[in-house]
Amino acid sequence: MRDSPSLLFSFSLLAFFLVIGCPLVASYDGPLYDYTAYTECKGHPERALYNGGILKDDEPVSVKGSIGGSASIVFWPAFILHNLTQGTYYCFSSWVKIQGAESALIKASLKSQDVSYDCIGTVIAKHGCWSFLKGGFVVTSSSSFSILTLQNSDDKQIDIEITSPSLQPFTEQQWRINQQHIINTRRKRAVTIHVSDEHGDKLQGAAINIEQVSKDFPFGSAIAKTILGNLPYQNWFAKRFNAAVFENELKWYATEPDQGQVNYTIADNMLEFIRANQIIARGHNIFWEDPKYTPQWVRDLTGPELQSAVNSRIQSLMNKYKEEFIHWDVSNEMLHFDFYEQRLGPNATLHFYEIAHMSDPLATLFMNEFNVVETCSDVNSTVDTFISRMRELERGGVSMDGIGLEGHFTIPNPPLMRAILDKLATLGLPIWLTEVDISNTLGQEAQAIYLEEVLREGFSHPSVNGIMLWTALHPNGCYQMCLTDNNFQNLPAGDTVDKLLKEWQTGEVQGQIDEHGSYSFYGFLGEYKVNVKYNNRRVNSTFSLCGGDETKHYNIQL
């Protein structure tokens, strides 16, 4: 019999907190978040997550609705919910099957006495098999009566059948404990350092000092040409971040504004800063499907001339910067726009990825898109639409290696964000949050609060491999959200970033070698330097701490 993932989770969570001596949560008996997700349509549905949660004994009711404002009456499956509480994180899931169409986008929504949530989860359901919807919500005010409805987002009259529904609440503290578990088990690792003399004798009482000098998890931000020659900006950036992306400087309109006049000078200078500070960089982007951001001279081309220009663009960019960038956003925002496929045919995107992979086979090629984790209201970029497009490209022979989620949030929905990440994780590909910011329609204090929610969700999800902020600084501000003012004094969002950067690093650890000749600690993944002193002897050493479930052992000899 296989062990229950939840049971293993519980034991590992309890064991960790006992090890670090945290009595508040050592006896944690709250719900354990279930990362299970499905993206295949199944002949038989799986059992409900959390054994149904607070929907365990509930049967759906039917609520009356209409299609597209017409007089046609339809009935949607729904659940009547009582006593939803403000600040509670609710995780919803259900299996869905339809009749009356081959496929349809099914949307879950919530209406309470004071507020409506247009979308708390979606699934592209199919006829004849069961599809898995996963989402969630946080209510902004308590409600004694709410209705959770599943309905067709298209103007089609179809029958919707649901089974294995689940609604599991988490208090804010429970949500944080579940986040911290992933951080403690995926972003950190136990280490034991053994210290002896040249004869192998233990050196009990030796003083040891350990310092993390670099982090394994890539956390960075966009930069612009404004960083060139700006030493305060450079120092501020390099002190914090180990990853970068150029905001606009590699886009086609920046490198070749006029046909044949290719100029990489600015990008080259920005790369010098990157190299000098041992920062990794993402390549953004080769093509942008939005015609508004395509050079005018390119928009004027058709047929073979456009194809020739496209080929020159890929080869020029990729040959020049081969092995310089860890990633490339090959065809940006293809779910919302299709300029090149409209002009060059349905296989244009396949061609882009093929050439990019041949030009730089070591770079990870990303599909980068907005409104995937930010919301589920955008029908162009639901999680199932994203997955379907990726699978379509893979079937066409594309070397598709990475999932890029821009993350331009207004008010984030953490349970929905996590549920979408769970479904994307079923693809087994690295996931990056590539352009994170919070809308400037909110005040700076609100931006900071919501930014922390997004960053904690990203850092604590086991399938997220990196986070990039979209906060390149210009004299007149930033795209949506700045971390500092022009004098590099932190704004509230900057304080949030600095707080989390400090929280997510080991810092300096000091102690003494014990009677077993060793010293143990729990550290974030990355590079470390260690100094050991015993009487008049001293030794300096370094080690790398990479991911793993077992305690990592190192030996140092004085």
Side-chain angles (χ1 to χ4, degrees), residues 145 155 157 198 234 253 278 293 320 366 429 471:
F145 180 86
D155 286 336
Q157 190 161 352
E198 59 185 0
Q234 293 178 5
Y253 65 73
Q278 299 178 301
Y293 299 107
K320 178 171 179 56
F366 271 67
L429 298 173
T471 52

Side-chain angles (χ1 to χ4, degrees), residues 541-555:
S541 185
T542 61
F543 64 90
S544 298
L545 186 59
C546 55
D549 296 327
E550 300 176 280
T551 301
K552 187 69 176 178
H553 290 261
Y554 293 96
N555 293 286

